[in-house]
């Protein structure tokens, strides 16, 4: 059974339809990379998965549960109560282009804040887990550093540790290296590779084709709000079926 089930999802902003009936399954432990030109709907799809954006029609389920909605007696979707949405969203980690760390908190406190405030863990338990996660992302020496004392790559790794502190079933990455200087990209990608090797289910919006080739189980191409092609990396990059995919790859490879 798929951990993530997306069925005929449509989303519009005003008169502009950004997602045009997208359907996609992601199995537990699978890494799926979303590629496509700017404005193709990749980030919007990611934000719909954890209900940062509402959808017009269709359904999104994570681990069998609707995200953001419930089925009413008449069979139509109704938006859930805020606390129910928050509880389901807590199991979905998200890492953004910008790090969004709390500037007044240390790296460790950034990682501990949500488990204490949302999950109700004691600060001692949260700090022990936070130290473990910062060690996991290679930042044991930076637990007391504040965001302004960290490089962009280090800040992004703190953001990954912060998401992992909620023990998510699913991790969403929205172009996590796009705001980094080129020499800092590798350290974030290595952290993501380690997560993938550990069996974390991941959906990654990225332009890092090397990462997609090496780590993804499937690569999905979006264009103009629709899935154009999906295939294992070797087939996607070496023998794409669709002309639109071939045209896109010819420009980015």
């Amino acid at each position: 059974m798929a951990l993530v089930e997306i069925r005929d999802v449509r989303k519009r902003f005003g008169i502009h339809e950004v997602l045009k009936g997208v359907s996609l399954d992601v199995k537990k432990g699978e890494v799926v990379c979303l590629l496509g030109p700017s404005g193709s709907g990749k980030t919007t799809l990611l934000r719909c998965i954890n209900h940062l954006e509402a959808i017009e029609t269709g359904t999104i389920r994570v681990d069998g549960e609707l995200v953001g909605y419930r089925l009413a007696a008449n069979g139509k979707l109704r938006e859930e109560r805020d606390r129910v949405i928050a509880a389901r969203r807590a199991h979905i980690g998200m890492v953004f282009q910008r790090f969004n760390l709390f500037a007044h908190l240390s790296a460790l406190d950034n990682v501990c804040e949500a488990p204490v405030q949302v999950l109700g863990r004691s600060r001692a338990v949260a700090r022990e887990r936070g130290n473990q996660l910062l060690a996991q992302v290679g930042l044991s020496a930076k637990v007391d550093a504040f965001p302004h004392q960290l490089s962009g790559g280090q800040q992004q790794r703190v953001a990954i540790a912060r998401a992992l502190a909620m023990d998510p079933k699913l991790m969403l990455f929205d172009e996590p290296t796009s705001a980094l200087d080129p020499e800092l990209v590798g350290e974030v990608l290595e952290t993501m590779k380690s997560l993938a090797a550990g069996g974390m289910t991941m959906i990654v919006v990225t332009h890092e084709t090397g990462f997609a080739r090496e780590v993804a189980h499937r690569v999905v191409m979006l264009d103009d709000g629709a899935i154009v092609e999906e295939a294992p990396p070797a087939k996607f990059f070496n023998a794409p079926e669709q002309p639109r995919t071939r045209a896109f790859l010819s420009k980015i490879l």
Side-chain angles (χ1 to χ4, degrees):
M1 188 164 104
L3 181 71
V4 182
E5 301 171 88
I6 301 170
R7 293 290 179 271
D8 196 28
V9 165
R10 295 180 179 271
K11 169 66 182 177
R12 66 173 62 247
F13 295 109
I15 63 171
H16 180 47
E17 192 172 30
V18 182
L19 298 176
K20 302 176 180 178
V22 172
S23 295
L24 180 68
D25 283 351
V26 180
K27 297 177 183 177
K28 185 177 181 181
E30 191 174 24
V31 178
V32 172
C33 284
L34 305 181
L35 270 64
S38 296
S40 60
K42 307 183 301 296
T43 291
T44 299
L45 178 60
L46 215 62
R47 290 174 64 85
C48 288
I49 291 172
N50 67 353
H51 201 61
L52 289 176
E53 297 288 353
I55 60 177
E56 261 71 55
T57 61
T59 58
I60 298 174
R61 286 182 168 85
V62 175
D63 203 18
E65 293 186 323
L66 287 169
V67 179
Y69 298 93
R70 57 186 168 82
L71 280 174
N74 60 6
K76 293 184 178 181
L77 290 180
R78 292 287 181 267
E79 195 161 20
E80 266 289 9
R81 291 162 293 174
D82 288 346
R83 67 177 181 80
V84 176
I85 294 172
R88 291 182 182 167
R89 188 184 284 147
H91 298 295
I92 304 171
M94 187 158 184
V95 178
F96 301 87
Q97 296 178 33
R98 296 289 174 180
F99 325 121
N100 296 329
L101 299 179
F102 294 114
H104 64 292
L105 296 180
S106 68
L108 180 58
D109 286 335
N110 263 284
V111 173
C112 294
E113 191 68 12
V116 171
Q117 299 298 330
V118 178
L119 301 182
R121 291 179 181 166
S122 72
R123 193 156 292 275
V125 169
R127 288 179 69 84
E128 181 180 1
R129 176 67 171 148
N131 277 303
Q132 293 171 352
L133 289 169
L134 287 170
Q136 183 179 327
V137 300
L139 291 175
S140 291
K142 299 292 184 178
V143 293
D144 294 322
F146 288 84
H148 73 273
Q149 299 171 313
L150 301 172
S151 70
Q154 290 170 336
Q155 289 186 61
Q156 193 62 296
R157 284 186 282 156
V158 172
I160 292 171
R162 179 178 61 182
L164 292 173
M166 298 294 286
D167 297 325
K169 300 172 182 177
L170 168 69
M171 285 285 287
L172 307 176
F173 293 87
D174 184 15
E175 298 193 32
T177 60
S178 66
L180 300 177
D181 292 333
E183 66 268 23
L184 302 177
V185 168
E187 64 190 56
V188 174
L189 293 181
E190 286 301 317
T191 298
M192 294 170 64
K193 289 176 186 178
S194 177
L195 286 180
M200 176 61 71
T201 309
M202 298 162 57
I203 304 177
V204 184
V205 173
T206 185
H207 292 297
E208 299 289 343
T209 56
F211 175 85
R213 284 179 184 271
E214 182 179 349
V215 180
H217 295 90
R218 276 184 298 144
V219 182
V220 176
M221 163 85 176
L222 275 83
D223 186 45
D224 194 27
I227 292 178
V228 174
E229 186 159 355
E230 59 178 292
K235 185 175 188 303
F236 183 91
F237 288 108
N238 299 324
E241 293 182 358
Q242 301 302 320
R244 181 66 186 96
T245 309
R246 292 195 292 271
F248 175 73
L249 292 176
S250 71
K251 295 177 180 178
I252 68 168
L253 295 180

